[in-house]
Amino acid sequence: MTKRPTLQDVATVAGVSAKTVSNVLLDRAGVSDATRSRVRAAIDAVGYVVNTAGRGLASGRTGRVALAVPNLHQPYFAEMAERVMSELAKYGLSATLVITRSGLDERRVVTGETAREVDGVVVLPHILNWDDDEQPLLPRPVVQLGGAWTGRLDWVAMGERTGMRAATEHLLGLGRRRFAILWNEDIGDAPTDRFAGILDALDGAGLSRDDVAVVTGSDWDRRESGYEAMAGLLRRRTEFDALVCVNDALAVGALRALNDAGLRVPEDVAVTGFDDTEEGTFTHPPLTSVSPEAEVMASVAVRMLIERLEGYSGPPRQVHTSAHLVPRASTGS
């Protein structure tokens, strides 16, 4: 049987100590770039693979991270979960997937009531929140990926306002002026960043919130909800030539409803989504969508978690990533 390469084998080939190899593997400071390059080349040369089980015994860690998502039928959550898992693997960590079907489920994972045997948590929240005066106990590092700012966790926020403004400006640039908006909840008096981006663009074109028709779906994670909401809007004979959808899932359902009603996309109605999921590239026609730059978000979230695991104990941090429009045939582009 071929002997499995050891840390000392890497050290011998690189001409450094085993401790230096360990420091490079853990991405610790105090190692020169030249030495890091030499150690990494030696790792590749000998075929060394990190023994996460052994590392866990030595450090008291499990080598696992809980990845909490509301569901997997929504393409955004499924695709983001895969990206986070891939990022964790780069650090020798595996993921324990937890489906959180309610805000209470999310809180229990974050506070350690469930998924106990993990070193940290990455949570993609649906409705996670706390009262203003509540100080939840966090027994392990937690990073929040997306959702609304809770004020208690490290947070990676997507460029929702930037992205939705770009989508609306794109439609306006095509000459569309009669807007319908397919949303996930009642907007109320305090619009979210995503809706605020629409208002920013409309305001620049001399339009207001009163100039658009807003319809909400019963479940913003499901295509059938988009279908039902759009069918209801069409039954009311509302006139519109542009449809802005809160996400790709509802947009996919809306496309089907428009087609069933005999309306042409984009000739009669131009449609945009948000999330740039793979599913949107296979609709008919392919869906113009906003990319929240999910790969960047996943990378930043995992990096923040690693920093916590390595000893950072400062206050909760916020990192805002960007977003950009991906034009496709559903808007004639």
Side-chain angles (χ1 to χ4, degrees), residues 36-61:
R36 288 183 190 277
S37 297
R38 196 161 69 250
V39 169
R40 288 176 181 137
I43 289 171
D44 292 339
V46 304
Y48 177 75
V49 177
V50 176
N51 185 344
T52 54
R55 179 186 292 179
L57 289 173
S59 65
R61 295 182 184 174

Side-chain angles (χ1 to χ4, degrees), residues 23-81:
N23 288 340
V24 171
L25 289 170
L26 294 173
D27 201 23
R28 288 173 175 159
V31 182
S32 69
D33 290 341
T35 299
R36 288 183 190 277
S37 297
R38 196 161 69 250
V39 169
R40 288 176 181 137
I43 289 171
D44 292 339
V46 304
Y48 177 75
V49 177
V50 176
N51 185 344
T52 54
R55 179 186 292 179
L57 289 173
S59 65
R61 295 182 184 174
T62 66
R64 294 193 303 277
V65 170
L67 175 56
V69 297
N71 60 66
L72 292 177
H73 60 251
Q74 222 281 35
Y76 167 76
F77 290 122
E79 292 180 20
M80 185 61 83

Side-chain angles (χ1 to χ4, degrees), residues 61-66 88 92-96 117-121 309:
R61 295 182 184 174
T62 66
R64 294 193 303 277
V65 170
L88 289 169
L93 298 171
S94 59
T96 298
E117 300 300 318
V118 296
D119 301 325
V121 178
L309 291 171

Side-chain angles (χ1 to χ4, degrees), residues 239-250:
E239 294 187 357
F240 58 97
D241 60 8
L243 175 65
V244 180
C245 299
V246 67
N247 60 24
D248 284 4
L250 292 189

